[in-house]
Short mmCIF file of all heavy atoms in Angstrom, two decimals:
data_model
loop_
_atom_site.label_atom_id
_atom_site.label_comp_id
_atom_site.label_asym_id
_atom_site.label_seq_id
_atom_site.Cartn_x
_atom_site.Cartn_y
_atom_site.Cartn_z
N VAL X 51 -173.93 -171.31 -265.14
CA VAL X 51 -174.43 -170.81 -266.45
C VAL X 51 -175.06 -172.06 -267.16
O VAL X 51 -174.43 -173.09 -267.18
CB VAL X 51 -173.27 -170.31 -267.30
CG1 VAL X 51 -173.79 -169.96 -268.71
CG2 VAL X 51 -172.65 -169.05 -266.74
N THR X 52 -176.30 -171.90 -267.59
CA THR X 52 -176.93 -172.95 -268.26
C THR X 52 -178.05 -172.34 -269.09
O THR X 52 -178.29 -171.10 -269.01
CB THR X 52 -177.41 -174.06 -267.43
OG1 THR X 52 -177.83 -175.16 -268.18
CG2 THR X 52 -178.56 -173.76 -266.46
N GLY X 53 -178.67 -173.13 -269.88
CA GLY X 53 -179.76 -172.47 -270.66
C GLY X 53 -180.44 -173.49 -271.68
O GLY X 53 -180.22 -174.68 -271.61
N ASP X 54 -181.33 -172.93 -272.49
CA ASP X 54 -182.06 -173.82 -273.40
C ASP X 54 -182.18 -173.07 -274.78
O ASP X 54 -182.16 -171.83 -274.86
CB ASP X 54 -183.57 -173.89 -272.94
CG ASP X 54 -183.65 -174.09 -271.40
OD1 ASP X 54 -183.46 -175.36 -271.07
OD2 ASP X 54 -183.80 -173.21 -270.68
N ARG X 55 -182.30 -173.88 -275.79
CA ARG X 55 -182.59 -173.39 -277.18
C ARG X 55 -184.06 -172.97 -277.24
O ARG X 55 -184.91 -173.86 -276.90
CB ARG X 55 -182.35 -174.42 -278.29
CG ARG X 55 -180.94 -174.85 -278.36
CD ARG X 55 -180.86 -175.88 -279.54
NE ARG X 55 -179.56 -176.47 -279.42
CZ ARG X 55 -179.15 -177.31 -280.34
NH1 ARG X 55 -179.93 -177.70 -281.33
NH2 ARG X 55 -177.92 -177.89 -280.20
N ARG X 72 -181.93 -176.53 -261.48
CA ARG X 72 -181.69 -175.20 -261.41
C ARG X 72 -182.34 -174.46 -260.27
O ARG X 72 -181.72 -173.59 -259.66
CB ARG X 72 -182.34 -174.56 -262.70
CG ARG X 72 -181.58 -174.93 -263.94
CD ARG X 72 -182.32 -174.27 -265.19
NE ARG X 72 -181.73 -174.87 -266.31
CZ ARG X 72 -182.16 -174.58 -267.54
NH1 ARG X 72 -183.14 -173.76 -267.78
NH2 ARG X 72 -181.68 -175.30 -268.58
N LEU X 84 -179.31 -168.72 -269.80
CA LEU X 84 -179.35 -168.01 -271.18
C LEU X 84 -180.46 -168.69 -272.04
O LEU X 84 -180.73 -169.89 -272.03
CB LEU X 84 -178.04 -168.12 -271.88
CG LEU X 84 -177.57 -169.37 -272.61
CD1 LEU X 84 -176.74 -168.94 -273.76
CD2 LEU X 84 -176.87 -170.26 -271.66
N ALA X 86 -180.90 -169.44 -275.61
CA ALA X 86 -179.84 -169.64 -276.63
C ALA X 86 -180.44 -169.49 -278.03
O ALA X 86 -180.54 -170.40 -278.81
CB ALA X 86 -179.12 -171.07 -276.45
N GLN X 89 -177.89 -170.23 -280.82
CA GLN X 89 -177.75 -171.68 -281.03
C GLN X 89 -178.95 -172.27 -281.71
O GLN X 89 -178.90 -173.16 -282.53
CB GLN X 89 -177.39 -172.29 -279.72
CG GLN X 89 -177.02 -173.73 -279.87
CD GLN X 89 -176.67 -174.44 -278.57
OE1 GLN X 89 -177.37 -175.39 -278.18
NE2 GLN X 89 -175.48 -174.14 -278.05
N GLN X 127 -179.00 -164.61 -275.44
CA GLN X 127 -177.63 -164.95 -275.95
C GLN X 127 -177.19 -163.95 -277.00
O GLN X 127 -176.08 -163.48 -277.05
CB GLN X 127 -177.57 -166.39 -276.51
CG GLN X 127 -176.19 -166.91 -277.04
CD GLN X 127 -176.45 -168.13 -277.88
OE1 GLN X 127 -177.43 -168.40 -278.43
NE2 GLN X 127 -175.36 -168.93 -277.91
N GLU X 158 -177.07 -185.69 -283.30
CA GLU X 158 -177.97 -184.60 -283.79
C GLU X 158 -177.88 -184.53 -285.28
O GLU X 158 -178.90 -184.32 -285.94
CB GLU X 158 -177.67 -183.31 -283.08
CG GLU X 158 -178.07 -183.31 -281.71
CD GLU X 158 -177.83 -182.05 -280.96
OE1 GLU X 158 -176.86 -181.37 -281.41
OE2 GLU X 158 -178.44 -181.77 -279.95
N TYR X 177 -171.35 -175.56 -283.20
CA TYR X 177 -172.06 -175.03 -282.04
C TYR X 177 -171.56 -175.32 -280.67
O TYR X 177 -171.64 -174.56 -279.76
CB TYR X 177 -173.55 -175.19 -282.18
CG TYR X 177 -174.12 -176.47 -281.46
CD1 TYR X 177 -174.23 -176.53 -280.10
CD2 TYR X 177 -174.54 -177.52 -282.20
CE1 TYR X 177 -174.82 -177.62 -279.41
CE2 TYR X 177 -175.02 -178.63 -281.56
CZ TYR X 177 -175.17 -178.77 -280.14
OH TYR X 177 -175.64 -179.86 -279.60
N SER X 180 -169.43 -172.36 -279.83
CA SER X 180 -170.23 -171.22 -279.33
C SER X 180 -170.88 -171.48 -277.95
O SER X 180 -170.98 -170.55 -277.15
CB SER X 180 -171.22 -170.75 -280.46
OG SER X 180 -172.51 -171.04 -279.99
N GLN X 181 -171.09 -172.71 -277.66
CA GLN X 181 -171.60 -173.04 -276.30
C GLN X 181 -170.46 -172.87 -275.29
O GLN X 181 -170.66 -172.38 -274.20
CB GLN X 181 -172.11 -174.42 -276.28
CG GLN X 181 -172.74 -174.85 -274.91
CD GLN X 181 -173.85 -175.85 -274.98
OE1 GLN X 181 -174.57 -175.99 -276.07
NE2 GLN X 181 -173.96 -176.69 -274.01
N ALA X 182 -169.24 -173.18 -275.67
CA ALA X 182 -168.03 -172.96 -274.80
C ALA X 182 -167.94 -171.40 -274.62
O ALA X 182 -167.67 -170.99 -273.44
CB ALA X 182 -166.73 -173.47 -275.41
N ASP X 184 -170.45 -169.29 -274.61
CA ASP X 184 -171.54 -169.00 -273.66
C ASP X 184 -171.18 -169.11 -272.23
O ASP X 184 -171.33 -168.20 -271.41
CB ASP X 184 -172.79 -169.97 -273.79
CG ASP X 184 -173.58 -169.75 -275.13
OD1 ASP X 184 -173.47 -168.57 -275.70
OD2 ASP X 184 -174.19 -170.74 -275.62
N ILE X 185 -170.58 -170.21 -271.97
CA ILE X 185 -170.19 -170.58 -270.57
C ILE X 185 -169.11 -169.67 -270.07
O ILE X 185 -169.14 -169.10 -269.00
CB ILE X 185 -169.87 -172.09 -270.43
CG1 ILE X 185 -171.12 -172.90 -270.86
CG2 ILE X 185 -169.34 -172.40 -269.03
CD1 ILE X 185 -170.77 -174.42 -271.10
N VAL X 193 -172.23 -176.11 -264.65
CA VAL X 193 -173.26 -176.08 -265.75
C VAL X 193 -174.14 -177.27 -265.50
O VAL X 193 -173.89 -178.46 -265.85
CB VAL X 193 -172.51 -176.22 -267.07
CG1 VAL X 193 -173.50 -176.02 -268.25
CG2 VAL X 193 -171.35 -175.34 -267.28
N PRO X 194 -175.34 -176.95 -264.88
CA PRO X 194 -176.35 -178.03 -264.69
C PRO X 194 -177.07 -178.33 -266.02
O PRO X 194 -177.60 -177.39 -266.58
CB PRO X 194 -177.32 -177.41 -263.67
CG PRO X 194 -176.77 -176.12 -263.31
CD PRO X 194 -175.78 -175.73 -264.37
N VAL X 195 -176.89 -179.52 -266.41
CA VAL X 195 -177.45 -179.94 -267.74
C VAL X 195 -178.08 -181.40 -267.68
O VAL X 195 -177.78 -182.11 -266.76
CB VAL X 195 -176.44 -179.85 -268.87
CG1 VAL X 195 -176.20 -178.55 -269.37
CG2 VAL X 195 -175.19 -180.59 -268.32
N ASP X 198 -177.46 -185.65 -272.05
CA ASP X 198 -177.08 -185.44 -273.40
C ASP X 198 -176.09 -184.42 -273.75
O ASP X 198 -175.39 -184.29 -274.71
CB ASP X 198 -178.31 -185.16 -274.27
CG ASP X 198 -178.99 -183.90 -273.87
OD1 ASP X 198 -179.24 -183.77 -272.76
OD2 ASP X 198 -179.31 -183.09 -274.77
N GLN X 199 -175.97 -183.47 -272.70
CA GLN X 199 -175.04 -182.22 -272.89
C GLN X 199 -173.69 -182.44 -272.44
O GLN X 199 -172.79 -181.60 -272.65
CB GLN X 199 -175.69 -181.10 -272.16
CG GLN X 199 -177.05 -180.56 -272.66
CD GLN X 199 -176.91 -179.83 -274.02
OE1 GLN X 199 -176.14 -178.86 -274.13
NE2 GLN X 199 -177.56 -180.43 -275.03
N LEU X 202 -170.73 -181.81 -274.66
CA LEU X 202 -170.49 -180.38 -274.95
C LEU X 202 -169.71 -179.72 -273.90
O LEU X 202 -168.88 -178.79 -274.17
CB LEU X 202 -171.83 -179.68 -275.12
CG LEU X 202 -172.64 -180.26 -276.37
CD1 LEU X 202 -174.13 -179.94 -276.29
CD2 LEU X 202 -172.01 -179.68 -277.61
N ILE X 203 -169.96 -180.06 -272.66
CA ILE X 203 -169.29 -179.44 -271.52
C ILE X 203 -167.81 -179.95 -271.56
O ILE X 203 -166.84 -179.25 -271.28
CB ILE X 203 -169.93 -179.87 -270.15
CG1 ILE X 203 -171.46 -179.60 -270.20
CG2 ILE X 203 -169.30 -179.03 -269.01
CD1 ILE X 203 -171.89 -178.26 -270.58
N1 LIG M 467 -177.23 -176.94 -275.86
C1 LIG M 467 -178.16 -176.64 -274.89
C2 LIG M 467 -179.51 -177.32 -275.17
O1 LIG M 467 -179.64 -177.68 -276.37
C3 LIG M 467 -178.45 -175.07 -274.68
C4 LIG M 467 -177.29 -174.29 -274.36
C5 LIG M 467 -176.72 -173.28 -275.04
C6 LIG M 467 -176.53 -174.34 -273.18
N2 LIG M 467 -175.68 -172.77 -274.48
C7 LIG M 467 -175.58 -173.42 -273.24
C8 LIG M 467 -176.57 -175.15 -271.98
C9 LIG M 467 -174.61 -173.17 -272.27
C10 LIG M 467 -175.64 -174.93 -271.05
C11 LIG M 467 -174.70 -173.98 -271.11
O2 LIG M 467 -180.32 -177.42 -274.31
#
Side-chain angles (χ1 to χ4, degrees):
V51 177
T52 189
D54 317 278
R55 294 182 192 184
R72 291 180 193 174
L84 80 149
Q89 190 178 109
Q127 182 194 27
E158 287 175 337
Y177 93 73
S180 112
Q181 185 153 328
D184 289 332
I185 299 166
V193 190
V195 280
D198 63 310
Q199 296 287 303
L202 294 162
I203 312 306

